Amino acid sequence: MQAKINTFFKPSSSSSPSPITASVSSDADDDGLSVWENSRNTIVNTYQRRSARSGQVLKECIEKPLEMKGSCSGVKNLKKKRNYTQFHLELGQSDFLLRQCGECGVKYAPGDELDEKSHQCFHKNYMNGIPFKGWQNERAFTSPLFDKNRIVMVLDNDSPAHRNKVQEVVKMMEVELGEDWIIHKHCKVYLCVSSQRISGCLVAEPIKEAFKVIAPSDNERQLKKESSSFSSPSTSIQFGNILLQREVSKRCRASEDRLDNGAIVCEEEAKPAVCGIRAIWVSPSNRRKGLATWLLDTARESFSNNGCVLEKSEVALSQPSSMGRAF
């Protein structure tokens, strides 16, 4: 038995790998163990020299991180910053969904970043004027009373860039004066420019006649003043010797800034007129500075084609608001 085992583990003398079998003598052909070894216990070992390329591939596989099948977009990035949404509680607020600005009158959704940014942009343009850098060819009028300011006149046959800027200003005017009536193709537009912003605008049209407004009597003015004082609600409440004062904050613009609903009585006989002022507007932060008067005087000086200055009696205005009536 010892001889058989040594023969089994004896290395082969040939250089090429070959099956290693146990040699047995003819006397042991009938041995059951030898028969089982020859038929079942045959071991084949094949060895090949590894190439240099295979070692490099193995090194790359070890250094390369594991990847999932498909695109890498499916891998979750745990380091990504999370977005936390701010929720609001509705407790019966009157302006929970939309809030109206007390100065520009625009409604916006508080908490909405895009809506608040849009409101801030419109609010700045409405209060201070629309940005304007100027044109190369413009009809400019200056005045020694208004240093570094000028008035630019725009006609209907001017370039599209000029007319587009006028439409942008008219859209701003329509917030207070109403829509779809301010301008038409026969109008002359005067833009007041100050600090690279259009702070005022006047729209004039040619007319032939107008009707003079009858001024209200002193009794009507006093009656209107008394009625307005009685209609205003009281802001103080008294409990015995204690007087409580209520603070009132306006959430929207007063109706006096809009079109005046009061009746305007005119004479029945028409008077000759040359220039009709359809609309005149000044941004809120530039009011009470004489810009509206400067616009009106410039229109009287340059409206006529023959170069003559129009008299005040030759100029007529459309139905004004309360501030326009005071002007």
Side-chain angles (χ1 to χ4, degrees):
M1 186 67 184
Q2 186 69 24
K4 296 179 181 180
I5 294 175
N6 293 337
T7 306
F8 180 80
F9 288 101
K10 185 177 179 179
S12 176
S13 58
S14 61
S15 58
S16 60
S18 61
I20 302 176
T21 58
S23 61
V24 294
S25 62
S26 60
D27 296 338
D29 291 339
D30 297 336
D31 191 352
L33 181 59
S34 299
V35 175
W36 179 82
E37 289 179 353
N38 293 330
S39 60
R40 299 291 183 181
N41 196 17
T42 302
I43 301 175
V44 180
N45 293 329
T46 304
Y47 298 94
Q48 294 182 356
R49 190 174 184 85
R50 183 178 296 172
S51 62
R53 177 61 183 169
S54 61
Q56 184 179 357
V57 173
L58 179 61
K59 184 178 179 180
E60 293 178 357
C61 294
I62 295 175
E63 294 178 354
K64 189 175 182 180
L66 296 178
E67 295 183 357
M68 297 179 63
K69 290 184 178 181
S71 61
C72 59
S73 60
V75 181
K76 293 183 178 180
N77 186 7
L78 300 180
K79 295 183 180 180
K80 185 178 180 180
K81 187 177 180 181
R82 296 182 180 180
N83 183 17
Y84 297 94
T85 304
Q86 178 67 41
F87 294 94
H88 303 271
L89 296 178
E90 183 179 2
L91 302 176
Q93 302 94 317
S94 60
D95 57 350
F96 178 72
L97 297 178
L98 293 177
R99 181 175 300 173
Q100 186 173 12
C101 180
E103 294 180 343
C104 66
V106 171
K107 293 183 178 181
Y108 65 97
D112 189 344
E113 183 179 357
L114 183 61
D115 208 10
E116 288 186 349
K117 186 177 180 180
S118 177
H119 165 251
Q120 291 176 1
C121 181
F122 178 84
H123 184 89
K124 185 177 181 180
N125 294 340
Y126 174 80
M127 297 298 296
N128 302 324
I130 298 175
F132 179 70
K133 296 183 179 180
W135 300 312
Q136 294 182 355
N137 300 323
E138 59 182 20
R139 305 176 187 88
F141 304 91
T142 58
S143 174
L145 300 177
F146 299 92
D147 190 19
K148 298 181 181 180
N149 296 347
R150 68 186 188 277
I151 292 179
V152 180
M153 184 174 64
V154 182
L155 303 179
D156 183 66
N157 56 0
D158 286 352
S159 64
H162 295 195
R163 288 185 274 110
N164 291 338
K165 179 59 69 173
V166 170
Q167 289 294 335
E168 185 178 355
V169 178
V170 169
K171 288 293 183 183
M172 190 68 67
M173 298 171 63
E174 290 177 348
V175 175
E176 288 186 286
L177 305 179
E179 299 180 357
D180 300 333
W181 68 273
I182 294 179
I183 191 172
H184 57 78
K185 64 179 182 178
H186 299 294
C187 292
K188 293 183 179 181
V189 181
Y190 296 84
L191 305 176
C192 181
V193 183
S194 59
S195 301
Q196 293 187 350
R197 285 184 176 272
I198 300 176
S199 55
C201 178
L202 183 144
V203 182
E205 64 175 344
I207 59 175
K208 295 182 179 180
E209 59 182 17
F211 296 88
K212 186 177 180 180
V213 177
I214 301 176
S217 61
D218 296 337
N219 295 334
E220 293 178 355
R221 292 178 182 176
Q222 184 66 21
L223 181 61
K224 185 177 181 180
K225 184 177 180 181
E226 292 177 358
S227 62
S228 62
S229 61
F230 285 130
S231 60
S232 59
S234 177
T235 58
S236 61
I237 303 176
Q238 186 173 3
F239 294 94
N241 297 329
I242 301 174
L243 181 63
L244 302 178
Q245 191 72 20
R246 182 178 60 182
E247 182 180 356
V248 179
S249 59
K250 296 181 180 181
R251 305 187 68 90
C252 60
R253 292 172 294 173
S255 59
E256 296 178 355
D257 296 344
R258 297 183 180 273
L259 290 176
D260 195 353
N261 294 327
I264 297 178
V265 182
C266 301
E267 295 181 355
E268 296 182 358
E269 184 181 358
K271 304 291 183 181
V274 178
C275 176
I277 307 299
R278 293 182 62 87
I280 182 170
W281 173 82
V282 177
S283 59
S285 63
N286 294 288
R287 292 171 183 173
R288 304 292 181 181
K289 296 181 180 180
L291 298 183
T293 304
W294 185 25
L295 284 168
L296 190 58
D297 292 340
T298 304
R300 289 173 48 222
E301 295 173 359
S302 60
F303 185 82
S304 180
N305 296 327
N306 54 14
C308 63
V309 180
L310 300 179
E311 298 293 335
K312 292 183 179 180
S313 59
E314 297 177 317
V315 179
L317 288 84
S318 61
Q319 181 180 356
S321 62
S322 59
M323 291 187 297
R325 178 180 293 183
F327 171 75

PDB file of all heavy atoms in Angstrom, residues 58-76:
ATOM      1  N   LEU A  58      -6.371  43.280 -13.040  1.00  0.00           N
ATOM      2  CA  LEU A  58      -6.787  42.968 -11.679  1.00  0.00           C
ATOM      3  C   LEU A  58      -6.578  44.167 -10.762  1.00  0.00           C
ATOM      4  O   LEU A  58      -7.410  44.474  -9.900  1.00  0.00           O
ATOM      5  CB  LEU A  58      -6.003  41.753 -11.175  1.00  0.00           C
ATOM      6  CG  LEU A  58      -6.306  41.306  -9.735  1.00  0.00           C
ATOM      7  CD1 LEU A  58      -7.777  40.910  -9.623  1.00  0.00           C
ATOM      8  CD2 LEU A  58      -5.408  40.145  -9.328  1.00  0.00           C
ATOM      9  N   LYS A  59      -5.472  44.885 -10.959  1.00  0.00           N
ATOM     10  CA  LYS A  59      -5.195  46.058 -10.138  1.00  0.00           C
ATOM     11  C   LYS A  59      -6.221  47.147 -10.384  1.00  0.00           C
ATOM     12  O   LYS A  59      -6.688  47.814  -9.462  1.00  0.00           O
ATOM     13  CB  LYS A  59      -3.793  46.564 -10.435  1.00  0.00           C
ATOM     14  CG  LYS A  59      -3.372  47.738  -9.562  1.00  0.00           C
ATOM     15  CD  LYS A  59      -1.955  48.156  -9.888  1.00  0.00           C
ATOM     16  CE  LYS A  59      -1.547  49.343  -9.020  1.00  0.00           C
ATOM     17  NZ  LYS A  59      -0.168  49.783  -9.312  1.00  0.00           N
ATOM     18  N   GLU A  60      -6.621  47.352 -11.668  1.00  0.00           N
ATOM     19  CA  GLU A  60      -7.630  48.358 -11.986  1.00  0.00           C
ATOM     20  C   GLU A  60      -8.979  48.001 -11.397  1.00  0.00           C
ATOM     21  O   GLU A  60      -9.719  48.871 -10.920  1.00  0.00           O
ATOM     22  CB  GLU A  60      -7.745  48.523 -13.496  1.00  0.00           C
ATOM     23  CG  GLU A  60      -6.502  49.124 -14.143  1.00  0.00           C
ATOM     24  CD  GLU A  60      -6.651  49.219 -15.650  1.00  0.00           C
ATOM     25  OE1 GLU A  60      -7.699  48.757 -16.151  1.00  0.00           O
ATOM     26  OE2 GLU A  60      -5.735  49.759 -16.319  1.00  0.00           O
ATOM     27  N   CYS A  61      -9.314  46.742 -11.387  1.00  0.00           N
ATOM     28  CA  CYS A  61     -10.591  46.312 -10.824  1.00  0.00           C
ATOM     29  C   CYS A  61     -10.636  46.543  -9.327  1.00  0.00           C
ATOM     30  O   CYS A  61     -11.685  46.857  -8.750  1.00  0.00           O
ATOM     31  CB  CYS A  61     -10.851  44.831 -11.143  1.00  0.00           C
ATOM     32  SG  CYS A  61     -11.096  44.514 -12.902  1.00  0.00           S
ATOM     33  N   ILE A  62      -9.488  46.369  -8.668  1.00  0.00           N
ATOM     34  CA  ILE A  62      -9.457  46.581  -7.218  1.00  0.00           C
ATOM     35  C   ILE A  62      -9.574  48.066  -6.884  1.00  0.00           C
ATOM     36  O   ILE A  62     -10.278  48.460  -5.954  1.00  0.00           O
ATOM     37  CB  ILE A  62      -8.157  45.972  -6.625  1.00  0.00           C
ATOM     38  CG1 ILE A  62      -8.183  44.453  -6.803  1.00  0.00           C
ATOM     39  CG2 ILE A  62      -8.009  46.343  -5.157  1.00  0.00           C
ATOM     40  CD1 ILE A  62      -6.901  43.784  -6.371  1.00  0.00           C
ATOM     41  N   GLU A  63      -8.859  48.918  -7.648  1.00  0.00           N
ATOM     42  CA  GLU A  63      -8.871  50.342  -7.363  1.00  0.00           C
ATOM     43  C   GLU A  63     -10.154  51.015  -7.806  1.00  0.00           C
ATOM     44  O   GLU A  63     -10.557  52.031  -7.252  1.00  0.00           O
ATOM     45  CB  GLU A  63      -7.688  51.017  -8.063  1.00  0.00           C
ATOM     46  CG  GLU A  63      -6.338  50.561  -7.510  1.00  0.00           C
ATOM     47  CD  GLU A  63      -5.202  51.221  -8.257  1.00  0.00           C
ATOM     48  OE1 GLU A  63      -5.500  51.924  -9.255  1.00  0.00           O
ATOM     49  OE2 GLU A  63      -4.036  51.027  -7.857  1.00  0.00           O
ATOM     50  N   LYS A  64     -10.857  50.522  -8.823  1.00  0.00           N
ATOM     51  CA  LYS A  64     -12.069  51.140  -9.342  1.00  0.00           C
ATOM     52  C   LYS A  64     -13.233  50.875  -8.395  1.00  0.00           C
ATOM     53  O   LYS A  64     -13.467  49.749  -7.993  1.00  0.00           O
ATOM     54  CB  LYS A  64     -12.391  50.583 -10.733  1.00  0.00           C
ATOM     55  CG  LYS A  64     -13.516  51.334 -11.439  1.00  0.00           C
ATOM     56  CD  LYS A  64     -13.697  50.815 -12.840  1.00  0.00           C
ATOM     57  CE  LYS A  64     -14.790  51.593 -13.572  1.00  0.00           C
ATOM     58  NZ  LYS A  64     -14.993  51.107 -14.936  1.00  0.00           N
ATOM     59  N   PRO A  65     -13.985  51.921  -7.995  1.00  0.00           N
ATOM     60  CA  PRO A  65     -15.109  51.697  -7.088  1.00  0.00           C
ATOM     61  C   PRO A  65     -16.243  50.961  -7.778  1.00  0.00           C
ATOM     62  O   PRO A  65     -16.374  50.947  -8.991  1.00  0.00           O
ATOM     63  CB  PRO A  65     -15.538  53.130  -6.710  1.00  0.00           C
ATOM     64  CG  PRO A  65     -15.068  53.966  -7.844  1.00  0.00           C
ATOM     65  CD  PRO A  65     -13.807  53.309  -8.336  1.00  0.00           C
ATOM     66  N   LEU A  66     -17.037  50.329  -6.961  1.00  0.00           N
ATOM     67  CA  LEU A  66     -18.171  49.576  -7.468  1.00  0.00           C
ATOM     68  C   LEU A  66     -19.223  50.526  -8.017  1.00  0.00           C
ATOM     69  O   LEU A  66     -19.498  51.579  -7.443  1.00  0.00           O
ATOM     70  CB  LEU A  66     -18.787  48.722  -6.354  1.00  0.00           C
ATOM     71  CG  LEU A  66     -17.866  47.625  -5.790  1.00  0.00           C
ATOM     72  CD1 LEU A  66     -18.589  46.901  -4.668  1.00  0.00           C
ATOM     73  CD2 LEU A  66     -17.468  46.641  -6.879  1.00  0.00           C
ATOM     74  N   GLU A  67     -19.821  50.169  -9.126  1.00  0.00           N
ATOM     75  CA  GLU A  67     -20.855  50.972  -9.762  1.00  0.00           C
ATOM     76  C   GLU A  67     -22.077  50.107 -10.005  1.00  0.00           C
ATOM     77  O   GLU A  67     -21.975  48.910 -10.262  1.00  0.00           O
ATOM     78  CB  GLU A  67     -20.358  51.553 -11.096  1.00  0.00           C
ATOM     79  CG  GLU A  67     -19.212  52.545 -10.937  1.00  0.00           C
ATOM     80  CD  GLU A  67     -18.816  53.135 -12.272  1.00  0.00           C
ATOM     81  OE1 GLU A  67     -19.408  52.696 -13.273  1.00  0.00           O
ATOM     82  OE2 GLU A  67     -17.918  53.991 -12.301  1.00  0.00           O
ATOM     83  N   MET A  68     -23.246  50.772  -9.945  1.00  0.00           N
ATOM     84  CA  MET A  68     -24.482  50.078 -10.214  1.00  0.00           C
ATOM     85  C   MET A  68     -24.705  50.007 -11.714  1.00  0.00           C
ATOM     86  O   MET A  68     -24.186  50.809 -12.485  1.00  0.00           O
ATOM     87  CB  MET A  68     -25.657  50.804  -9.551  1.00  0.00           C
ATOM     88  CG  MET A  68     -25.568  50.836  -8.032  1.00  0.00           C
ATOM     89  SD  MET A  68     -26.959  51.741  -7.317  1.00  0.00           S
ATOM     90  CE  MET A  68     -28.298  50.701  -7.858  1.00  0.00           C
ATOM     91  N   LYS A  69     -25.451  49.018 -12.116  1.00  0.00           N
ATOM     92  CA  LYS A  69     -25.776  48.884 -13.533  1.00  0.00           C
ATOM     93  C   LYS A  69     -26.677  50.032 -13.957  1.00  0.00           C
ATOM     94  O   LYS A  69     -27.516  50.495 -13.215  1.00  0.00           O
ATOM     95  CB  LYS A  69     -26.475  47.542 -13.800  1.00  0.00           C
ATOM     96  CG  LYS A  69     -25.539  46.351 -13.643  1.00  0.00           C
ATOM     97  CD  LYS A  69     -26.265  45.086 -14.013  1.00  0.00           C
ATOM     98  CE  LYS A  69     -25.330  43.868 -13.914  1.00  0.00           C
ATOM     99  NZ  LYS A  69     -26.019  42.635 -14.286  1.00  0.00           N
ATOM    100  N   GLY A  70     -26.522  50.456 -15.206  1.00  0.00           N
ATOM    101  CA  GLY A  70     -27.318  51.566 -15.715  1.00  0.00           C
ATOM    102  C   GLY A  70     -26.594  52.880 -15.493  1.00  0.00           C
ATOM    103  O   GLY A  70     -25.404  52.938 -15.200  1.00  0.00           O
ATOM    104  N   SER A  71     -27.323  53.970 -15.617  1.00  0.00           N
ATOM    105  CA  SER A  71     -26.746  55.301 -15.481  1.00  0.00           C
ATOM    106  C   SER A  71     -26.468  55.602 -14.023  1.00  0.00           C
ATOM    107  O   SER A  71     -27.129  55.089 -13.122  1.00  0.00           O
ATOM    108  CB  SER A  71     -27.709  56.346 -16.056  1.00  0.00           C
ATOM    109  OG  SER A  71     -28.924  56.303 -15.344  1.00  0.00           O
ATOM    110  N   CYS A  72     -25.480  56.471 -13.802  1.00  0.00           N
ATOM    111  CA  CYS A  72     -25.105  56.813 -12.443  1.00  0.00           C
ATOM    112  C   CYS A  72     -26.103  57.770 -11.807  1.00  0.00           C
ATOM    113  O   CYS A  72     -25.966  58.112 -10.635  1.00  0.00           O
ATOM    114  CB  CYS A  72     -23.717  57.441 -12.434  1.00  0.00           C
ATOM    115  SG  CYS A  72     -23.613  58.932 -13.445  1.00  0.00           S
ATOM    116  N   SER A  73     -27.096  58.256 -12.571  1.00  0.00           N
ATOM    117  CA  SER A  73     -28.075  59.167 -11.999  1.00  0.00           C
ATOM    118  C   SER A  73     -28.972  58.477 -10.984  1.00  0.00           C
ATOM    119  O   SER A  73     -29.598  59.136 -10.171  1.00  0.00           O
ATOM    120  CB  SER A  73     -28.935  59.785 -13.119  1.00  0.00           C
ATOM    121  OG  SER A  73     -29.614  58.766 -13.821  1.00  0.00           O
ATOM    122  N   GLY A  74     -29.041  57.158 -11.043  1.00  0.00           N
ATOM    123  CA  GLY A  74     -29.886  56.451 -10.105  1.00  0.00           C
ATOM    124  C   GLY A  74     -29.284  56.339  -8.719  1.00  0.00           C
ATOM    125  O   GLY A  74     -29.961  55.956  -7.770  1.00  0.00           O
ATOM    126  N   VAL A  75     -28.001  56.665  -8.564  1.00  0.00           N
ATOM    127  CA  VAL A  75     -27.353  56.577  -7.276  1.00  0.00           C
ATOM    128  C   VAL A  75     -27.770  57.776  -6.434  1.00  0.00           C
ATOM    129  O   VAL A  75     -27.710  58.918  -6.867  1.00  0.00           O
ATOM    130  CB  VAL A  75     -25.821  56.536  -7.433  1.00  0.00           C
ATOM    131  CG1 VAL A  75     -25.151  56.407  -6.082  1.00  0.00           C
ATOM    132  CG2 VAL A  75     -25.433  55.381  -8.336  1.00  0.00           C
ATOM    133  N   LYS A  76     -28.210  57.571  -5.229  1.00  0.00           N
ATOM    134  CA  LYS A  76     -28.652  58.639  -4.358  1.00  0.00           C
ATOM    135  C   LYS A  76     -27.443  59.359  -3.760  1.00  0.00           C
ATOM    136  O   LYS A  76     -26.499  58.717  -3.288  1.00  0.00           O
ATOM    137  CB  LYS A  76     -29.536  58.089  -3.239  1.00  0.00           C
ATOM    138  CG  LYS A  76     -30.863  57.535  -3.729  1.00  0.00           C
ATOM    139  CD  LYS A  76     -31.709  57.083  -2.566  1.00  0.00           C
ATOM    140  CE  LYS A  76     -33.055  56.568  -3.055  1.00  0.00           C
ATOM    141  NZ  LYS A  76     -33.897  56.113  -1.931  1.00  0.00           N
TER     142      LYS A  76
END
